[in-house]
Amino acid sequence: MAIYKLQINGRSYQADVEPDTPLLWVLRDNFGLVGTKYGCGIAQCGACTIHLNGEATRACVLPVSAVGKSKVTTIEGLSATGNHPVQQAWDKMDVPQCGYCQAGQIMTAAALLKRNPRPSQSEIDDTMTGNLCRCGTYHRIREAVKLASMSTTPAGATKSSKTR
């Protein structure tokens, strides 16, 4: 075992685990951050998606020893109040059915909108295709990502202060 110091959701954590322990299990079992779900265990379904330095990453296949000084964000850290534009769009579009995949879906969508605030339909589809939804709410997921993209400000853009 080895001690790993991790930066998760803006806080410091420490775990004494085997180097090959998947980050998913460290998050869930050691730190109680259970919003990130176990789906397939082979990075094929996206339920375990977290952000590693802002990039969508599958925590089920990421050994804790590979995290290093990277900043980890889980669904619990996406927004302290649950008011991230993707979370609000999820609610408005009534996306959740069973809810199992939604943390991974939301994290993938949030990473997409961070690097591309105005994605095209095909960019949304290409990005979200790696996240499976066993309830088949793909249309509502796509609409929620589009709605969230209208709520985000493109990087470098300034909002007009004109009012009429």
Side-chain angles (χ1 to χ4, degrees):
M1 297 250 236
I3 295 179
Y4 293 94
K5 295 178 181 177
L6 305 170
Q7 289 296 314
I8 303 168
N9 302 332
R11 294 183 52 205
S12 296
Y13 289 86
Q14 187 170 302
D16 186 8
V17 294
E18 295 293 335
D20 61 347
T21 305
L23 179 60
L24 173 65
W25 298 121
V26 176
L27 293 171
R28 293 181 61 82
D29 295 346
N30 293 76
F31 305 144
L33 297 169
V34 296
T36 306
K37 305 297 184 204
Y38 173 80
C40 66
I42 55 173
Q44 296 297 303
C45 73
C48 66
T49 303
I50 52 102
H51 292 174
L52 191 66
N53 290 331
E55 293 294 321
T57 303
R58 304 294 164 86
C60 71
V61 294
L62 180 66
V64 69
S65 59
V67 174
K69 296 188 182 298
S70 298
K71 292 182 180 175
V72 176
T73 305
T74 67
I75 190 71
E76 292 92 342
L78 189 61
S79 166
T81 59
N83 66 352
H84 186 279
V86 175
Q87 292 170 309
Q88 291 179 329
W90 232 250
D91 188 41
K92 280 186 179 173
M93 298 308 296
D94 199 22
V95 172
Q97 290 291 302
C98 79
Y100 199 82
C101 72
Q102 74 178 344
Q105 300 269 6
I106 289 170
M107 295 304 284
T108 299
L112 167 64
L113 296 178
K114 185 173 183 179
R115 73 174 183 276
N116 181 2
R118 299 287 184 263
S120 67
Q121 185 67 52
S122 65
E123 290 169 327
I124 293 171
D125 291 345
D126 289 347
T127 299
M128 300 306 295
T129 195
N131 287 74
L132 302 180
C133 174
R134 62 186 178 191
C135 302
T137 61
Y138 296 109
H139 177 72
R140 286 188 284 188
I141 290 168
R142 181 184 305 125
E143 294 303 311
V145 176
K146 278 199 278 186
L147 180 62
S149 75
M150 291 184 252
S151 304
T152 58
T153 303
T158 57
K159 288 186 174 182
S160 172
S161 61
K162 283 184 176 179
T163 56
R164 294 183 184 222

